[in-house]
Amino acid sequence: MKQALFGKTLSELQQICRDLEMPAFAASQIADWLYKKDAESIDEMSNLSLSNRSKLNLSYALNTSLPSRREESSDGTVKYLFAVAGGNFVETVFIPDHERATLCVSSQVGCKMNCLFCMTGKQGFSAQLTANEILNQLRSIPESRRLSNVVFMGMGEPLDNQTALFQVLEILTASYGYAWSPKRITVSTIGHIPGLKRFLDESECHLAVSIHSPIAEERQKIMPVEKAFPIKDVIEVLQQYDFSHQRRLSFEYILFEGLNDSIIHAKKLVDLLRKLDCRVNLIRFHQIPGVDLRPSSETKLYAFRDYLSAKGLICTIRLSRGEDILAACGMLSTKARDQAIDEDSGKQGV
């Protein structure tokens, strides 16, 4: 199978040109066709010589693909299904909101983190997505050129897939690529400390940390990652960086009835975040099968927000989008689809 050209960084394209004995300047020309002109094939790259296009075609293809399924919510949110390598699938969510248009992209097939409240975690982990497969989610939806923001909050833990993530962030922000401002990009993490340190050192994109409880013992019950990467250690890392300028730091906090929604929890959260220039996004829980958790009442949700705001924390309540098509926070999963495909394959084999 031919290698994917789309998703290569400029340095990778330069190496390809050296390997194929093409002129050095051809790498910038290829990048221009890939990321600015949306070429559909190598043959469209008309400022490359016919000979050089033939060389590329022998081993490479763009390897872009359209989504295999589209579902639209009553609120205008659109969920796309993409086929990726190994017979797997991932979901991507487009969220229009007046002048903003956000795409929530996936970085893995499933997830290793197994958070109790997340359908992706219940699916388990199957594969890392390549830079090609992540960027294809942005390129290949009909709304691609309307996008104002992208958030790495879909399936998977982005910082557990560092190789592909940092390739994609480079291509999105570099002048040879899409030339986006880092302020248009947010990467979400459960607090994967090795990846977090690299991200903070190498990127100016916004950061969102999933916390969901300020109490370590309680957090570990719903987020097993607390054992490997305690939230207090995550906070200590974050305190070493400056978030008062371009880069924004936010904490994601889903409220569960009777678990983490008391004023005591709000007070402990304020104490934990006191030394950070940050904001808190409160999120309504969307119930998933087989999990004995319930969303907090609206009264507790607003009381929690008001307490944080009164203590000087910028706090917002995230609007739920796409719940009716299982596109809201924590609801992405392709497990049922993968099982159906396996069953169909088994029937065909018989």
Side-chain angles (χ1 to χ4, degrees):
M1 183 177 178
K2 294 182 179 181
Q3 295 183 55
L5 202 59
F6 182 73
K8 298 293 188 188
T9 63
L10 182 60
S11 62
E12 290 176 313
L13 294 174
Q14 290 168 340
Q15 184 60 53
I16 289 170
C17 288
R18 286 193 291 270
D19 293 343
L20 297 179
E21 298 182 344
M22 294 168 59
F25 62 80
S28 295
Q29 294 175 320
I30 296 168
D32 192 59
W33 283 103
L34 292 175
Y35 307 123
K36 298 188 186 303
K37 296 178 179 176
D38 289 337
E40 297 292 338
S41 69
I42 290 170
D43 291 330
E44 286 184 28
M45 300 179 182
S46 55
N47 55 354
L48 300 182
S49 70
L50 188 59
S51 171
N52 286 331
R53 278 179 271 166
S54 296
K55 289 179 184 179
L56 278 174
N57 270 316
L58 285 174
S59 300
Y60 295 91
L62 268 63
N63 283 5
T64 56
S65 60
L66 295 174
S68 57
R69 184 176 176 183
R70 178 186 188 277
E71 293 179 81
E72 184 166 353
S73 166
S74 58
D75 63 25
T77 299
V78 181
K79 183 170 71 171
Y80 290 101
L81 185 76
F82 282 93
V84 294
N88 293 310
F89 293 87
V90 293
E91 294 183 322
T92 306
V93 181
F94 173 71
I95 310 166
D97 184 18
H98 303 292
E99 73 282 357
R100 289 172 62 90
T102 300
L103 191 69
C104 179
V105 300
S106 294
S107 55
Q108 297 178 317
V109 181
C111 185
K112 301 175 186 177
M113 303 306 156
N114 196 27
C115 295
L116 178 62
F117 47 83
C118 179
M119 284 182 68
T120 308
K122 297 300 174 190
Q123 176 175 334
F125 174 78
S126 298
Q128 303 280 21
L129 295 188
T130 64
N132 167 272
E133 291 166 335
I134 296 173
L135 270 179
N136 184 63
Q137 296 170 58
L138 285 91
R139 173 192 163 116
S140 295
I141 61 168
E143 303 89 353
S144 178
R145 289 298 173 180
R146 288 176 51 195
L147 295 176
S148 61
N149 300 84
V150 61
V151 294
F152 288 78
M153 296 182 181
M155 298 173 65
E157 163 56 46
L159 295 182
D160 188 47
N161 187 8
Q162 293 179 49
T163 300
L165 173 68
F166 286 98
Q167 285 178 276
V168 170
L169 294 181
E170 177 182 328
I171 293 165
L172 284 176
T173 58
S175 58
Y176 73 80
Y178 290 100
W180 279 28
S181 164
K183 292 189 288 186
R184 297 172 63 182
I185 303 166
T186 300
V187 174
S188 178
T189 179
I190 44 72
H192 185 285
I193 290 177
L196 178 62
K197 290 178 178 177
R198 181 181 174 188
F199 175 80
L200 292 169
D201 288 335
E202 297 183 16
S203 174
E204 288 297 322
C205 297
H206 296 322
L207 176 68
V209 179
S210 296
I211 183 167
H212 309 312
S213 177
I215 301 170
E217 296 78 8
E218 292 182 0
R219 187 172 187 259
Q220 187 172 328
K221 290 178 181 177
I222 57 174
M223 300 178 69
V225 73
E226 171 67 21
K227 188 173 182 179
F229 304 125
I231 192 60
K232 66 177 181 60
D233 293 351
V234 175
I235 298 298
E236 287 175 6
V237 171
L238 295 171
Q239 287 173 348
Q240 300 170 29
Y241 295 83
D242 182 8
F243 295 95
S244 62
H245 300 294
Q246 174 173 303
R247 182 165 54 192
R248 186 174 66 231
L249 171 63
S250 59
F251 288 87
E252 313 285 281
Y253 196 102
I254 301 174
L255 282 99
F256 306 101
E257 182 181 304
L259 179 64
N260 66 348
D261 60 351
S262 71
I263 295 302
I264 292 173
H265 287 89
K267 181 180 184 303
K268 288 184 179 294
L269 186 60
V270 170
D271 292 342
L272 186 65
L273 305 182
R274 189 180 301 280
K275 295 181 181 179
L276 289 170
D277 190 334
C278 64
R279 63 185 64 200
V280 177
N281 293 323
L282 300 181
I283 303 171
R284 294 173 174 86
F285 175 54
H286 305 101
Q287 289 185 276
I288 62 175
V291 175
D292 189 22
L293 292 171
R294 294 183 299 277
S296 293
S297 67
E298 293 293 292
T299 299
K300 285 198 171 183
L301 179 67
Y302 284 102
F304 203 97
R305 180 203 62 183
D306 293 345
Y307 182 90
L308 297 186
S309 298
K311 296 299 180 180
L313 269 178
I314 299 173
C315 183
T316 59
I317 297 173
R318 181 180 295 169
L319 183 65
S320 293
R321 298 291 300 271
E323 186 173 3
D324 57 331
I325 57 169
L326 300 181
C329 181
M331 302 186 82
L332 297 186
S333 175
T334 57
K335 184 175 182 178
R337 175 166 292 275
D338 293 341
Q339 288 175 340
I341 289 170
D342 289 343
E343 289 171 4
D344 286 344
S345 298
K347 291 173 184 175
Q348 291 168 8
V350 173

Short mmCIF file of all heavy atoms in Angstrom, two decimals, residues 81-92 105-114 118-134 137 152-161 164 332-339 341-342:
data_model
loop_
_atom_site.label_atom_id
_atom_site.label_comp_id
_atom_site.label_asym_id
_atom_site.label_seq_id
_atom_site.Cartn_x
_atom_site.Cartn_y
_atom_site.Cartn_z
N LEU A 81 -18.70 9.87 10.74
CA LEU A 81 -17.99 8.61 10.98
C LEU A 81 -16.92 8.46 9.91
O LEU A 81 -17.21 8.58 8.71
CB LEU A 81 -18.96 7.43 10.93
CG LEU A 81 -18.38 6.06 11.27
CD1 LEU A 81 -18.17 5.93 12.78
CD2 LEU A 81 -19.29 4.94 10.78
N PHE A 82 -15.68 8.20 10.33
CA PHE A 82 -14.57 8.01 9.39
C PHE A 82 -14.00 6.61 9.53
O PHE A 82 -13.75 6.13 10.64
CB PHE A 82 -13.45 9.01 9.66
CG PHE A 82 -13.71 10.40 9.14
CD1 PHE A 82 -14.29 11.36 9.94
CD2 PHE A 82 -13.38 10.73 7.83
CE1 PHE A 82 -14.53 12.64 9.47
CE2 PHE A 82 -13.61 12.01 7.34
CZ PHE A 82 -14.19 12.97 8.16
N ALA A 83 -13.78 5.96 8.41
CA ALA A 83 -13.06 4.69 8.40
C ALA A 83 -11.56 4.98 8.48
O ALA A 83 -11.06 5.89 7.81
CB ALA A 83 -13.36 3.91 7.13
N VAL A 84 -10.86 4.23 9.32
CA VAL A 84 -9.40 4.37 9.44
C VAL A 84 -8.77 2.99 9.29
O VAL A 84 -9.45 2.00 9.06
CB VAL A 84 -9.02 5.03 10.80
CG1 VAL A 84 -9.52 6.47 10.85
CG2 VAL A 84 -9.57 4.24 11.98
N ALA A 85 -7.46 2.93 9.43
CA ALA A 85 -6.73 1.68 9.18
C ALA A 85 -7.18 0.56 10.11
O ALA A 85 -7.69 0.80 11.20
CB ALA A 85 -5.23 1.92 9.35
N GLY A 86 -6.99 -0.66 9.65
CA GLY A 86 -7.30 -1.83 10.47
C GLY A 86 -8.77 -2.16 10.55
O GLY A 86 -9.19 -2.91 11.44
N GLY A 87 -9.58 -1.61 9.66
CA GLY A 87 -11.01 -1.85 9.71
C GLY A 87 -11.71 -1.13 10.84
O GLY A 87 -12.84 -1.46 11.19
N ASN A 88 -11.05 -0.11 11.41
CA ASN A 88 -11.62 0.64 12.53
C ASN A 88 -12.35 1.89 12.05
O ASN A 88 -12.25 2.29 10.88
CB ASN A 88 -10.50 1.06 13.50
CG ASN A 88 -9.87 -0.12 14.19
OD1 ASN A 88 -10.56 -0.96 14.75
ND2 ASN A 88 -8.54 -0.19 14.17
N PHE A 89 -13.06 2.52 13.00
CA PHE A 89 -13.78 3.76 12.72
C PHE A 89 -13.58 4.74 13.88
O PHE A 89 -13.35 4.32 15.01
CB PHE A 89 -15.28 3.50 12.56
CG PHE A 89 -15.64 2.69 11.34
CD1 PHE A 89 -15.64 1.30 11.39
CD2 PHE A 89 -15.97 3.31 10.15
CE1 PHE A 89 -15.96 0.55 10.28
CE2 PHE A 89 -16.30 2.56 9.03
CZ PHE A 89 -16.29 1.17 9.09
N VAL A 90 -13.67 6.03 13.56
CA VAL A 90 -13.69 7.06 14.60
C VAL A 90 -14.79 8.06 14.29
O VAL A 90 -15.25 8.16 13.14
CB VAL A 90 -12.34 7.80 14.71
CG1 VAL A 90 -11.25 6.87 15.22
CG2 VAL A 90 -11.94 8.46 13.40
N GLU A 91 -15.21 8.78 15.31
CA GLU A 91 -16.25 9.79 15.16
C GLU A 91 -15.67 11.19 15.35
O GLU A 91 -14.74 11.40 16.14
CB GLU A 91 -17.38 9.54 16.16
CG GLU A 91 -18.12 8.24 15.88
CD GLU A 91 -19.30 7.99 16.81
OE1 GLU A 91 -19.18 8.31 18.02
OE2 GLU A 91 -20.32 7.46 16.33
N THR A 92 -16.24 12.13 14.62
CA THR A 92 -15.83 13.52 14.62
C THR A 92 -17.10 14.37 14.69
O THR A 92 -18.10 14.04 14.04
CB THR A 92 -15.08 13.85 13.30
OG1 THR A 92 -14.01 12.93 13.15
CG2 THR A 92 -14.55 15.27 13.31
N VAL A 105 -12.23 16.67 17.17
CA VAL A 105 -11.59 15.58 16.45
C VAL A 105 -11.12 14.47 17.40
O VAL A 105 -10.88 14.70 18.58
CB VAL A 105 -10.38 16.08 15.62
CG1 VAL A 105 -10.82 17.10 14.59
CG2 VAL A 105 -9.29 16.66 16.51
N SER A 106 -10.99 13.29 16.85
CA SER A 106 -10.51 12.12 17.59
C SER A 106 -9.02 11.91 17.32
O SER A 106 -8.53 12.23 16.24
CB SER A 106 -11.29 10.87 17.20
OG SER A 106 -12.64 10.98 17.60
N SER A 107 -8.33 11.35 18.31
CA SER A 107 -6.90 11.09 18.18
C SER A 107 -6.55 9.61 18.31
O SER A 107 -5.42 9.22 18.02
CB SER A 107 -6.12 11.89 19.23
OG SER A 107 -6.60 11.60 20.53
N GLN A 108 -7.50 8.80 18.78
CA GLN A 108 -7.28 7.37 18.93
C GLN A 108 -8.56 6.62 18.58
O GLN A 108 -9.65 7.20 18.62
CB GLN A 108 -6.88 7.02 20.37
CG GLN A 108 -5.58 7.64 20.85
CD GLN A 108 -5.28 7.29 22.31
OE1 GLN A 108 -6.15 7.33 23.17
NE2 GLN A 108 -4.03 6.95 22.59
N VAL A 109 -8.43 5.35 18.25
CA VAL A 109 -9.60 4.47 18.14
C VAL A 109 -9.84 3.92 19.54
O VAL A 109 -9.08 3.09 20.03
CB VAL A 109 -9.36 3.32 17.14
CG1 VAL A 109 -10.61 2.45 17.04
CG2 VAL A 109 -8.96 3.87 15.78
N GLY A 110 -10.88 4.40 20.19
CA GLY A 110 -11.10 4.05 21.58
C GLY A 110 -10.18 4.84 22.49
O GLY A 110 -9.65 5.89 22.10
N CYS A 111 -9.96 4.34 23.71
CA CYS A 111 -9.14 5.07 24.68
C CYS A 111 -8.66 4.10 25.75
O CYS A 111 -9.38 3.19 26.15
CB CYS A 111 -9.94 6.20 25.32
SG CYS A 111 -8.99 7.26 26.42
N LYS A 112 -7.43 4.32 26.24
CA LYS A 112 -6.86 3.46 27.28
C LYS A 112 -7.28 3.88 28.69
O LYS A 112 -7.07 3.13 29.64
CB LYS A 112 -5.33 3.53 27.22
CG LYS A 112 -4.71 3.10 25.92
CD LYS A 112 -3.19 3.33 25.97
CE LYS A 112 -2.53 3.05 24.64
NZ LYS A 112 -1.07 3.34 24.68
N MET A 113 -7.83 5.08 28.86
CA MET A 113 -7.95 5.68 30.19
C MET A 113 -9.12 5.14 31.01
O MET A 113 -9.15 5.26 32.22
CB MET A 113 -8.03 7.20 30.06
CG MET A 113 -6.84 7.80 29.33
SD MET A 113 -5.25 7.28 30.05
CE MET A 113 -4.15 7.48 28.66
N ASN A 114 -10.13 4.59 30.34
CA ASN A 114 -11.25 3.90 31.02
C ASN A 114 -11.93 4.75 32.08
O ASN A 114 -12.28 4.25 33.16
CB ASN A 114 -10.77 2.59 31.64
CG ASN A 114 -11.92 1.65 31.99
OD1 ASN A 114 -12.98 1.72 31.38
ND2 ASN A 114 -11.72 0.81 32.99
N CYS A 118 -17.37 7.69 30.55
CA CYS A 118 -17.10 7.96 29.13
C CYS A 118 -17.31 6.73 28.28
O CYS A 118 -16.72 5.68 28.53
CB CYS A 118 -15.67 8.47 28.97
SG CYS A 118 -15.21 8.82 27.26
N MET A 119 -18.14 6.84 27.24
CA MET A 119 -18.40 5.71 26.35
C MET A 119 -17.16 5.30 25.55
O MET A 119 -16.98 4.13 25.25
CB MET A 119 -19.56 6.04 25.41
CG MET A 119 -20.92 5.98 26.08
SD MET A 119 -22.31 6.31 24.96
CE MET A 119 -22.25 4.86 23.90
N THR A 120 -16.32 6.28 25.21
CA THR A 120 -15.10 5.93 24.49
C THR A 120 -14.21 5.05 25.36
O THR A 120 -13.61 4.08 24.88
CB THR A 120 -14.33 7.20 24.07
OG1 THR A 120 -15.20 8.08 23.38
CG2 THR A 120 -13.16 6.84 23.16
N GLY A 121 -14.12 5.39 26.65
CA GLY A 121 -13.33 4.58 27.57
C GLY A 121 -13.88 3.17 27.70
O GLY A 121 -13.11 2.20 27.81
N LYS A 122 -15.21 3.04 27.69
CA LYS A 122 -15.83 1.72 27.78
C LYS A 122 -15.54 0.88 26.53
O LYS A 122 -15.58 -0.34 26.58
CB LYS A 122 -17.34 1.87 27.95
CG LYS A 122 -17.76 2.56 29.25
CD LYS A 122 -17.27 1.80 30.45
CE LYS A 122 -17.56 2.52 31.74
NZ LYS A 122 -16.87 1.91 32.89
N GLN A 123 -15.25 1.54 25.43
CA GLN A 123 -14.95 0.84 24.19
C GLN A 123 -13.60 0.13 24.26
O GLN A 123 -13.37 -0.86 23.58
CB GLN A 123 -14.95 1.84 23.02
CG GLN A 123 -14.56 1.26 21.68
CD GLN A 123 -14.71 2.28 20.56
OE1 GLN A 123 -15.50 3.21 20.65
NE2 GLN A 123 -13.94 2.11 19.50
N GLY A 124 -12.69 0.65 25.10
CA GLY A 124 -11.34 0.12 25.12
C GLY A 124 -10.49 0.75 24.03
O GLY A 124 -10.96 1.58 23.25
N PHE A 125 -9.23 0.36 23.97
CA PHE A 125 -8.30 0.96 23.03
C PHE A 125 -7.99 -0.01 21.90
O PHE A 125 -7.73 -1.19 22.13
CB PHE A 125 -7.00 1.34 23.75
CG PHE A 125 -5.91 1.83 22.84
CD1 PHE A 125 -5.93 3.12 22.33
CD2 PHE A 125 -4.86 0.99 22.47
CE1 PHE A 125 -4.93 3.57 21.47
CE2 PHE A 125 -3.86 1.43 21.62
CZ PHE A 125 -3.89 2.73 21.13
N SER A 126 -7.99 0.50 20.66
CA SER A 126 -7.68 -0.33 19.50
C SER A 126 -6.44 0.13 18.75
O SER A 126 -5.64 -0.69 18.32
CB SER A 126 -8.86 -0.37 18.52
OG SER A 126 -10.00 -0.94 19.13
N ALA A 127 -6.30 1.47 18.56
CA ALA A 127 -5.19 1.94 17.73
C ALA A 127 -4.96 3.43 17.90
O ALA A 127 -5.88 4.18 18.24
CB ALA A 127 -5.46 1.63 16.25
N GLN A 128 -3.71 3.83 17.63
CA GLN A 128 -3.38 5.25 17.52
C GLN A 128 -3.74 5.72 16.12
O GLN A 128 -3.50 5.00 15.13
CB GLN A 128 -1.88 5.48 17.75
CG GLN A 128 -1.34 4.97 19.07
CD GLN A 128 -1.63 5.91 20.22
OE1 GLN A 128 -2.53 6.74 20.17
NE2 GLN A 128 -0.86 5.76 21.29
N LEU A 129 -4.30 6.90 16.01
CA LEU A 129 -4.51 7.48 14.69
C LEU A 129 -3.21 8.11 14.21
O LEU A 129 -2.41 8.62 15.00
CB LEU A 129 -5.61 8.54 14.73
CG LEU A 129 -7.02 8.06 15.06
CD1 LEU A 129 -8.02 9.19 14.87
CD2 LEU A 129 -7.43 6.86 14.22
N THR A 130 -2.99 8.08 12.90
CA THR A 130 -1.85 8.75 12.30
C THR A 130 -2.18 10.23 12.10
O THR A 130 -3.35 10.64 12.17
CB THR A 130 -1.51 8.13 10.95
OG1 THR A 130 -2.62 8.34 10.05
CG2 THR A 130 -1.24 6.63 11.08
N ALA A 131 -1.14 11.01 11.82
CA ALA A 131 -1.37 12.43 11.51
C ALA A 131 -2.30 12.55 10.30
O ALA A 131 -3.17 13.44 10.26
CB ALA A 131 -0.05 13.12 11.25
N ASN A 132 -2.14 11.66 9.33
CA ASN A 132 -3.01 11.66 8.16
C ASN A 132 -4.47 11.46 8.56
O ASN A 132 -5.37 12.17 8.08
CB ASN A 132 -2.56 10.55 7.21
CG ASN A 132 -3.56 10.24 6.11
OD1 ASN A 132 -4.45 9.41 6.30
ND2 ASN A 132 -3.42 10.89 4.97
N GLU A 133 -4.73 10.51 9.47
CA GLU A 133 -6.11 10.20 9.85
C GLU A 133 -6.72 11.29 10.71
O GLU A 133 -7.94 11.52 10.66
CB GLU A 133 -6.13 8.85 10.58
CG GLU A 133 -5.83 7.68 9.65
CD GLU A 133 -5.52 6.39 10.38
OE1 GLU A 133 -5.08 6.44 11.55
OE2 GLU A 133 -5.72 5.30 9.79
N ILE A 134 -5.91 11.97 11.51
CA ILE A 134 -6.44 13.08 12.32
C ILE A 134 -6.74 14.28 11.43
O ILE A 134 -7.83 14.85 11.48
CB ILE A 134 -5.44 13.46 13.43
CG1 ILE A 134 -5.27 12.30 14.42
CG2 ILE A 134 -5.93 14.71 14.18
CD1 ILE A 134 -4.17 12.52 15.45
N GLN A 137 -9.86 14.32 9.19
CA GLN A 137 -11.14 14.69 9.80
C GLN A 137 -11.45 16.17 9.56
O GLN A 137 -12.61 16.55 9.39
CB GLN A 137 -11.10 14.40 11.30
CG GLN A 137 -10.95 12.93 11.65
CD GLN A 137 -10.67 12.72 13.13
OE1 GLN A 137 -11.45 13.12 14.00
NE2 GLN A 137 -9.54 12.09 13.44
N PHE A 152 -9.29 19.02 20.40
CA PHE A 152 -8.93 17.61 20.48
C PHE A 152 -9.62 17.03 21.71
O PHE A 152 -9.01 16.84 22.76
CB PHE A 152 -7.41 17.47 20.56
CG PHE A 152 -6.70 17.78 19.28
CD1 PHE A 152 -6.50 19.10 18.87
CD2 PHE A 152 -6.26 16.77 18.44
CE1 PHE A 152 -5.85 19.39 17.68
CE2 PHE A 152 -5.61 17.05 17.24
CZ PHE A 152 -5.42 18.37 16.86
N MET A 153 -10.92 16.82 21.56
CA MET A 153 -11.76 16.35 22.66
C MET A 153 -12.64 15.19 22.22
O MET A 153 -13.61 14.85 22.88
CB MET A 153 -12.64 17.49 23.19
CG MET A 153 -11.88 18.64 23.81
SD MET A 153 -13.01 19.89 24.46
CE MET A 153 -11.84 21.10 25.10
N GLY A 154 -12.31 14.58 21.09
CA GLY A 154 -13.08 13.45 20.60
C GLY A 154 -12.61 12.16 21.23
O GLY A 154 -12.22 12.12 22.40
N MET A 155 -12.60 11.09 20.47
CA MET A 155 -12.20 9.79 20.99
C MET A 155 -10.71 9.77 21.29
O MET A 155 -9.89 10.19 20.47
CB MET A 155 -12.55 8.70 19.98
CG MET A 155 -14.04 8.59 19.69
SD MET A 155 -14.41 7.43 18.34
CE MET A 155 -13.86 5.88 19.05
N GLY A 156 -10.35 9.27 22.48
CA GLY A 156 -8.95 9.08 22.81
C GLY A 156 -8.34 10.17 23.67
O GLY A 156 -8.93 11.23 23.88
N GLU A 157 -7.15 9.90 24.17
CA GLU A 157 -6.34 10.83 24.95
C GLU A 157 -5.24 11.38 24.03
O GLU A 157 -4.30 10.67 23.68
CB GLU A 157 -5.72 10.12 26.15
CG GLU A 157 -4.56 10.82 26.82
CD GLU A 157 -4.86 12.23 27.29
OE1 GLU A 157 -5.92 12.45 27.92
OE2 GLU A 157 -4.04 13.13 27.03
N PRO A 158 -5.35 12.64 23.61
CA PRO A 158 -4.41 13.17 22.63
C PRO A 158 -2.94 13.06 23.04
O PRO A 158 -2.09 12.75 22.21
CB PRO A 158 -4.83 14.65 22.50
CG PRO A 158 -6.26 14.67 22.92
CD PRO A 158 -6.40 13.61 23.97
N LEU A 159 -2.64 13.30 24.32
CA LEU A 159 -1.24 13.30 24.76
C LEU A 159 -0.70 11.88 24.92
O LEU A 159 0.49 11.71 25.20
CB LEU A 159 -1.09 14.09 26.05
CG LEU A 159 -1.38 15.59 25.92
CD1 LEU A 159 -1.17 16.30 27.25
CD2 LEU A 159 -0.54 16.24 24.84
N ASP A 160 -1.54 10.88 24.72
CA ASP A 160 -1.07 9.49 24.66
C ASP A 160 -0.70 9.12 23.23
O ASP A 160 -0.26 8.00 22.97
CB ASP A 160 -2.16 8.55 25.21
CG ASP A 160 -1.68 7.11 25.35
OD1 ASP A 160 -0.57 6.92 25.90
OD2 ASP A 160 -2.38 6.20 24.90
N ASN A 161 -0.89 10.04 22.31
CA ASN A 161 -0.54 9.85 20.90
C ASN A 161 0.31 11.03 20.45
O ASN A 161 -0.05 11.78 19.54
CB ASN A 161 -1.82 9.73 20.06
CG ASN A 161 -1.53 9.35 18.60
OD1 ASN A 161 -0.41 9.04 18.24
ND2 ASN A 161 -2.55 9.39 17.77
N ALA A 164 1.72 11.68 16.49
CA ALA A 164 0.75 12.21 15.53
C ALA A 164 0.25 13.59 15.96
O ALA A 164 0.08 14.49 15.14
CB ALA A 164 -0.42 11.25 15.38
N LEU A 332 -19.03 9.61 22.56
CA LEU A 332 -18.52 9.08 21.30
C LEU A 332 -18.04 7.65 21.48
O LEU A 332 -17.29 7.33 22.39
CB LEU A 332 -17.37 9.95 20.79
CG LEU A 332 -17.71 11.40 20.44
CD1 LEU A 332 -16.51 12.07 19.80
CD2 LEU A 332 -18.92 11.49 19.53
N SER A 333 -18.46 6.79 20.58
CA SER A 333 -18.05 5.39 20.60
C SER A 333 -18.41 4.73 19.28
O SER A 333 -19.49 4.98 18.74
CB SER A 333 -18.73 4.62 21.74
OG SER A 333 -18.42 3.25 21.70
N THR A 334 -17.51 3.90 18.78
CA THR A 334 -17.81 3.12 17.57
C THR A 334 -17.86 1.64 17.89
O THR A 334 -17.82 0.81 16.98
CB THR A 334 -16.75 3.39 16.47
OG1 THR A 334 -15.45 3.08 16.99
CG2 THR A 334 -16.80 4.83 16.03
N LYS A 335 -17.97 1.30 19.15
CA LYS A 335 -17.95 -0.11 19.55
C LYS A 335 -19.09 -0.90 18.90
O LYS A 335 -18.89 -1.98 18.35
CB LYS A 335 -18.04 -0.23 21.07
CG LYS A 335 -17.93 -1.67 21.58
CD LYS A 335 -17.91 -1.70 23.10
CE LYS A 335 -17.75 -3.12 23.61
NZ LYS A 335 -17.70 -3.17 25.10
N ALA A 336 -20.31 -0.35 18.95
CA ALA A 336 -21.46 -1.06 18.39
C ALA A 336 -21.29 -1.26 16.89
O ALA A 336 -21.59 -2.32 16.35
CB ALA A 336 -22.74 -0.29 18.69
N ARG A 337 -20.77 -0.25 16.21
CA ARG A 337 -20.56 -0.35 14.77
C ARG A 337 -19.49 -1.39 14.46
O ARG A 337 -19.63 -2.19 13.53
CB ARG A 337 -20.17 1.02 14.21
CG ARG A 337 -19.82 1.01 12.73
CD ARG A 337 -19.78 2.41 12.17
NE ARG A 337 -21.12 2.96 12.16
CZ ARG A 337 -21.99 2.77 11.18
NH1 ARG A 337 -21.67 2.03 10.15
NH2 ARG A 337 -23.19 3.31 11.23
N ASP A 338 -18.40 -1.40 15.23
CA ASP A 338 -17.35 -2.38 15.01
C ASP A 338 -17.88 -3.80 15.21
O ASP A 338 -17.56 -4.71 14.44
CB ASP A 338 -16.18 -2.12 15.97
CG ASP A 338 -15.47 -0.81 15.68
OD1 ASP A 338 -15.63 -0.30 14.56
OD2 ASP A 338 -14.78 -0.29 16.57
N GLN A 339 -18.70 -3.99 16.24
CA GLN A 339 -19.26 -5.31 16.49
C GLN A 339 -20.18 -5.75 15.36
O GLN A 339 -20.17 -6.91 14.94
CB GLN A 339 -20.03 -5.30 17.82
CG GLN A 339 -19.11 -5.23 19.04
CD GLN A 339 -19.89 -5.10 20.34
OE1 GLN A 339 -21.05 -4.70 20.34
NE2 GLN A 339 -19.25 -5.42 21.44
N ILE A 341 -20.02 -4.85 12.25
CA ILE A 341 -19.20 -5.19 11.09
C ILE A 341 -18.59 -6.57 11.26
O ILE A 341 -18.56 -7.38 10.33
CB ILE A 341 -18.12 -4.12 10.87
CG1 ILE A 341 -18.78 -2.82 10.39
CG2 ILE A 341 -17.06 -4.58 9.87
CD1 ILE A 341 -17.85 -1.64 10.36
N ASP A 342 -18.09 -6.87 12.48
CA ASP A 342 -17.53 -8.18 12.76
C ASP A 342 -18.56 -9.28 12.56
O ASP A 342 -18.28 -10.34 11.99
CB ASP A 342 -16.99 -8.24 14.19
CG ASP A 342 -15.72 -7.41 14.36
OD1 ASP A 342 -15.11 -7.08 13.33
OD2 ASP A 342 -15.37 -7.10 15.51
#
